[in-house]
């Protein structure tokens, strides 16, 4: 039995990554492959020699927050998650390992991982939460091949110092009551 506190997903479109801003990448819909059985997106690098990432800005106050997202490798096994422009974790989606002590990775089977990172936001500004593709040397700037990337699903930002179970949103924040 999983008992969780009340929590709110502050990302208004948790499954619609067309709302995110891309740099040298694109988010393409892939039908029927998400953990919920619906559509998901593939974050795909372009062919430039540069960074390849997607990001979303959300305003956060001077509180503890956790950003989490479900990821699955599609020829890119390393990704970085940048939390509010100041804290970054690197995740290995092939071996299910977080490369540092800032993040947590949990297996959800079939190559899917829930990756999360928590921190205290130092002020009340709009902050970007970024998913970056990395090459096999874990470099964020590299020559892309226009096909490699990762599946992305279920983005969540909570005002808690840890991740809770997924709270889907579709145009507005959503709150799950305490168990």
């Amino acid at each position: 039995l999983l008992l969780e506190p009340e929590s709110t997903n502050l990302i208004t479109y948790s499954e619609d990554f067309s709302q995110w801003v891309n740099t040298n990448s694109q988010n393409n819909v892939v039908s029927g492959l998400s953990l919920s059985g619906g559509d998901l997106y593939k974050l795909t690098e372009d062919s430039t020699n540069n960074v390849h990432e997607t990001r979303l800005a959300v305003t956060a106050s001077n509180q503890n927050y956790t950003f989490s997202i479900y990821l699955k490798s599609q020829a890119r096994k390393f990704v970085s998650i940048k939390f509010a422009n100041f804290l970054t974790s690197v995740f290995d989606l092939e071996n299910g390992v977080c490369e540092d002590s800032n993040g947590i990775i949990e297996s959800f089977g079939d190559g899917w991982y829930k990756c999360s990172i928590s921190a205290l936001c130092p002020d009340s500004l709009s902050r970007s939460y970024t998913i970056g593709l990395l090459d096999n040397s874990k470099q964020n700037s590299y020559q892309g091949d226009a096909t490699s990337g990762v599946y992305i699903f279920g983005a969540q930002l909570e005002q808690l110092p840890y991740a809770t179970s997924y709270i889907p949103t579709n145009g507005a924040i959503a709150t799950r009551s305490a168990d």
Side-chain angles (χ1 to χ4, degrees):
L1 179 64
L2 177 65
L3 297 176
E4 293 186 305
E6 178 177 284
S7 189
T8 300
N9 187 351
L10 300 171
I11 294 177
T12 56
Y13 288 95
S14 62
E15 298 177 20
D16 182 359
F17 291 90
S18 69
Q19 306 292 321
W20 292 50
V21 176
N22 289 65
T23 302
N24 306 310
S25 64
Q26 55 186 328
N27 297 331
N28 300 314
V29 174
V30 180
S31 296
L33 293 176
S34 77
L35 292 171
S36 66
D39 295 343
L40 59 84
Y41 281 76
K42 180 181 177 188
L43 169 60
T44 305
E45 63 195 35
D46 68 10
S47 60
T48 62
N49 188 9
N50 210 321
V51 298
H52 310 276
E53 62 189 23
T54 190
R55 67 187 174 285
L56 182 69
V58 179
T59 300
S61 60
N62 187 18
Q63 300 287 327
N64 284 307
Y65 288 86
T66 299
F67 174 77
S68 61
I69 191 164
Y70 296 85
L71 302 169
K72 182 177 181 177
S73 174
Q74 289 297 292
R76 282 289 167 224
K77 74 177 202 170
F78 294 112
V79 296
S80 66
I81 296 179
K82 188 181 293 183
F83 180 97
N85 306 340
F86 66 86
L87 184 65
T88 302
S89 282
V90 173
F91 298 89
D92 177 343
L93 301 179
E94 187 174 283
N95 297 304
V97 175
C98 181
E99 302 279 320
D100 52 63
S101 62
N102 299 325
I104 295 173
I105 189 167
E106 302 171 70
S107 176
F108 274 74
D110 193 33
W112 281 100
Y113 292 95
K114 181 178 183 180
C115 300
S116 63
I117 184 170
S118 303
L120 173 67
C121 283
D123 48 38
S124 295
L125 298 174
S126 179
R127 299 287 186 161
S128 289
Y129 298 85
T130 305
I131 311 303
L133 301 174
L134 306 176
D135 69 7
N136 288 335
S137 300
K138 301 176 196 164
Q139 299 300 308
N140 68 338
S141 184
Y142 61 91
Q143 182 68 54
D145 64 15
T147 60
S148 296
V150 296
Y151 287 147
I152 52 179
F153 173 78
Q156 185 158 298
L157 180 66
E158 304 172 85
Q159 191 176 325
L160 287 172
Y162 54 87
T164 66
S165 61
Y166 177 54
I167 305 166
T169 62
N170 188 19
I173 64 172
T175 300
R176 181 195 54 245
S177 299
D179 295 330

